[in-house]
Amino acid sequence: KRKLDPEDEAPRKIHEIGHGQAVAAHYNELQEVGLEKRSQSRIFYLRNFNNWTKSVLIGEFIDRVRRKKSDITVLDLGCGKGGDLLKWKKGRIKKLVCTDIADISVQQCKQRYEDMKARCRYNEHIFDAEFIQADSTKDLLSSKYNVPHMCFDICSCQFVYHYSFETYEQADMMLKNACGNLSPGGYFIGTTPNSFELVKRLEASETNSFGNDVYSVKFEKKGEYPLFGCKYDFHLEEVVDVPEFLVYFPLLEQMAKKHGMKLVYKMTFREFYEEKIKNEEHKMLLRRMQALEPYSTFGDSKLVSDKPDDYEHAKEF
Ligand code: SAM
C-alpha cells in the first residue's frame, strides 16, 4: 500500500465529507469584532441593512403567530454567533433552540445569550434557550439530539439554506429539520442568495467570476447549472470566503410542499425594502440601525452603499 501524499488525499476527502466541514471551520475561525471596529468597516451599511431586513422579517412573523398564541417557540437554524438573539428578545418569545454546524459559533452564541440574560433588569423578560451543534444537512435534529419535545412556531434560517444545496439529500434533510417540527400554522422564514441574479451576472461577465473590491463570486464554469451541487466561491470582505450552492427557488418550493409547506411570499431584498419602508416604525428602525449611508435620503436609491453593486448583490428570500 502506497502511503498517500496528503496533497493527493485532499480532493477525495472533500468529496467524501462534503463541504460542510470546510464551512464549519471557516465560521469557527471568524473573530468577533467590537462595535467601534465594525462601524469603520467597508461593509458597515450592508451589514446593517441585512440586519434591518432580518429584524423586520422576524418581527412580522412573530406578530403573525402572536395573533394566535402568546407562548412562541423558535428554531434558529444556522444561528451562527447569535446575531439574531436580540431580535428574539425584542419579540418576547418563550423558547429558542439555536443550532449550527460550527461548534465554536454555537459556544459563542450560548455565551452571548448568558451575557444578555445576566444584563437583564429585574422582571425583564428573556426566553429560555437551548444550543445544539449539528450539521442540519445530515443530522435529524429531533432524533439525534433526543429532543422529541421540539415543536416550533417559527423556524428561522438566515443566510444558511444555500449551504444545503450540495445534494438533494442534504437540501431535503435541512428542510426536514426546518419544517418537520413546526406546529400546524407555523412558519419557515429565511434569507438566501438570489440564484437568478447570480447567474445573470455570471452570464454578463467575460470570465467565470464577477464582483468588485468588496465581494466576488467565482463559478467553476458558465452555461451549466445543475439543480444540486452548483458550487460557487463567495468572498465578502471580513465575513465570508466559502463555497456556497445555487438554490433554484421553484425547486425549493416544490420540495417544501412535500413537508406540508405552502409559500406565503418570496421577495428580493429590494422588493422587501420598498414594501416595508412604507411603515413608519420600520423606517425609524432603519435609521436607528444606521442601515443607510448618512448622506442618503429615503427618497433616492442610495440604500446601503455608494457602490450600487454591493446592494445589487442583495440576497433573496
Ligand atoms: N444565521 C446567522 C446570522 O444571520 O447571523 C449566521 C449566518 S452565516 C452567513 C451562515 C451560518 O450557517 C454559519 O454560522 C454556518 O456555520 C452555518 N451553517 C452552514 N452550513 C450549515 C449546516 N450544514 N448545518 C448548520 N449550520 C450550517
Side-chain angles (χ1 to χ4, degrees):
K1 282 184 186 165
R2 183 170 71 96
K3 188 163 183 288
L4 280 176
D5 178 331
E7 293 283 331
D8 284 345
E9 211 171 8
R12 186 172 63 84
K13 271 197 181 149
I14 285 286
H15 179 72
E16 277 171 6
I17 63 175
H19 290 86
Q21 294 314 314
V23 171
H26 166 78
Y27 280 104
N28 273 334
E29 272 165 32
L30 278 186
Q31 300 297 319
E32 289 215 79
V33 181
L35 270 182
E36 199 189 322
K37 197 149 180 230
R38 227 183 286 160
S39 67
Q40 293 157 1
S41 151
R42 287 208 295 172
I43 56 165
F44 178 67
Y45 296 103
L46 178 67
R47 207 195 272 268
N48 293 352
F49 182 76
N50 286 347
N51 249 320
W52 174 82
T53 305
K54 288 194 290 176
S55 297
V56 174
L57 181 69
I58 285 172
E60 175 184 342
F61 282 87
I62 287 180
D63 287 348
R64 284 188 191 223
V65 174
R66 181 145 293 126
R67 275 179 228 136
K68 292 178 263 175
K69 62 192 285 198
S70 53
D71 288 347
I72 301 175
T73 52
V74 175
L75 173 66
D76 191 338
L77 193 58
C79 59
K81 298 173 194 311
D84 293 338
L85 286 173
L86 204 57
K87 302 176 186 68
W88 302 121
K89 180 168 178 266
K90 283 192 180 141
R92 291 176 291 108
I93 65 165
K94 182 163 189 280
K95 168 98 199 231
L96 179 69
V97 174
C98 289
T99 180
D100 199 285
I101 191 173
D103 55 341
I104 294 175
S105 296
V106 176
Q107 281 167 31
Q108 287 172 337
C109 182
K110 187 171 181 200
Q111 189 57 52
R112 212 161 164 174
Y113 166 75
E114 299 294 346
D115 294 346
M116 233 165 93
K117 203 169 165 181
R119 280 197 308 270
C120 274
R121 289 185 301 271
Y122 175 69
N123 259 354
E124 197 182 358
H125 173 83
I126 179 117
F127 50 83
D128 292 329
E130 217 171 295
F131 302 85
I132 301 169
Q133 184 278 325
D135 179 345
S136 291
T137 69
K138 299 203 171 135
D139 307 325
L140 187 60
L141 290 174
S142 55
S143 61
K144 182 166 180 191
Y145 294 91
N146 196 24
V147 255
H149 61 276
M150 288 208 299
C151 185
F152 303 107
D153 300 300
I154 297 175
C155 169
S156 170
C157 189
Q158 306 300 339
F159 301 116
V160 180
Y161 192 70
H162 45 291
Y163 294 110
S164 77
F165 251 62
E166 188 170 355
T167 65
Y168 168 79
E169 289 72 19
Q170 285 175 270
D172 192 51
M173 178 59 86
M174 201 176 253
L175 264 183
K176 206 172 193 174
N177 281 320
C179 310
N181 301 302
L182 284 179
S183 16
Y187 295 100
F188 172 37
I189 58 174
T191 41
T192 195
N194 180 349
S195 296
F196 296 111
E197 188 62 36
L198 291 172
V199 170
K200 195 168 92 188
R201 284 175 194 219
L202 176 67
E203 291 291 336
S205 155
E206 283 173 4
T207 65
N208 285 350
S209 61
F210 57 87
N212 57 25
D213 56 342
V214 175
Y215 87 92
S216 69
V217 171
K218 187 166 179 232
F219 281 78
E220 267 148 34
K221 60 178 165 194
K222 271 174 158 173
E224 278 175 40
Y225 307 105
L227 293 176
F228 296 98
C230 193
K231 183 173 88 65
Y232 57 90
D233 291 318
F234 176 53
H235 164 84
L236 175 66
E237 184 162 284
E238 299 161 28
V239 191
V240 177
D241 210 345
V242 284
E244 301 188 352
F245 301 91
L246 287 187
V247 177
Y248 181 54
F249 199 89
L251 175 59
L252 165 61
E253 193 187 337
Q254 285 305 316
M255 288 172 65
K257 274 189 190 161
K258 201 182 97 185
H259 295 279
M261 305 299 288
K262 180 176 92 181
L263 183 65
V264 177
Y265 69 76
K266 150 179 127 56
M267 289 183 200
T268 63
F269 267 40
R270 185 181 286 277
E271 288 163 349
F272 187 81
Y273 166 79
E274 282 167 1
E275 185 183 308
K276 303 300 172 189
I277 203 63
K278 292 176 195 154
N279 175 306
E280 268 314 306
E281 263 180 47
H282 298 154
K283 198 188 252 190
M284 269 156 58
L285 181 68
L286 190 86
R287 254 185 218 148
R288 278 205 308 278
M289 290 178 83
Q290 298 188 59
L292 290 179
E293 291 279 4
Y295 48 80
S296 68
T297 65
F298 290 104
D300 68 33
S301 60
K302 273 191 177 144
L303 299 179
V304 182
S305 159
D306 54 352
K307 296 188 193 71
D309 259 9
D310 299 351
Y311 178 68
E312 289 301 329
H313 188 62
K315 306 202 171 193
E316 182 174 283
F317 58 88

